[in-house]
Amino acid sequence: LTTDDIKKLFVNLRQSSNKQSKFYFTYFDKKLHPTAVNPESSHPNKDFFYSWEEISGLLEDSGWTGTQASVQAHPRRHTIVCANLI
């Protein structure tokens, strides 16, 4: 997803969430793929790469906070995050 679509997702997700809600998601960390270039538009079969600073900023701008999982064992080396409403 593009950053605009990620923001929309988190804003829309707020409507069906409460303070006890948890939302888990993964992303490709730009640090592990420094030369990767994101597609210009969202696409279900293309990979997007973000830094933790970008992801946490998108969460915060949308009223969420996130914590990276302490154990990162995703088979495609995604970073795993748990998000909660602020």
Side-chain angles (χ1 to χ4, degrees):
L1 296 175
T2 63
T3 55
D4 287 341
D5 286 342
I6 293 170
K7 285 181 194 176
K8 287 178 193 173
L9 174 123
F10 282 113
V11 167
N12 290 336
L13 192 59
R14 286 182 61 88
Q15 296 172 6
S16 60
S17 300
N18 60 50
K19 291 286 186 182
Q20 289 75 40
S21 298
K22 294 184 185 306
F23 178 69
Y24 290 87
F25 65 94
T26 66
Y27 71 96
F28 283 111
D29 194 328
K30 202 182 269 186
K31 285 188 297 188
L32 301 176
H33 308 275
T35 60
V37 177
N38 288 336
E40 290 184 25
S41 59
S42 292
H43 191 282
N45 297 317
K46 293 185 179 177
D47 296 330
F48 289 77
F49 303 84
Y50 296 104
S51 68
W52 171 244
E53 292 75 23
E54 289 172 301
I55 293 294
S56 60
L58 290 168
L59 287 168
E60 187 174 318
D61 290 348
S62 304
W64 293 82
T65 186
T67 306
Q68 293 181 352
S70 58
V71 176
Q72 296 289 329
H74 192 279
R76 291 187 66 206
R77 298 184 69 199
H78 291 201
T79 298
I80 304 166
V81 178
C82 177
N84 303 72
L85 287 172
I86 294 175

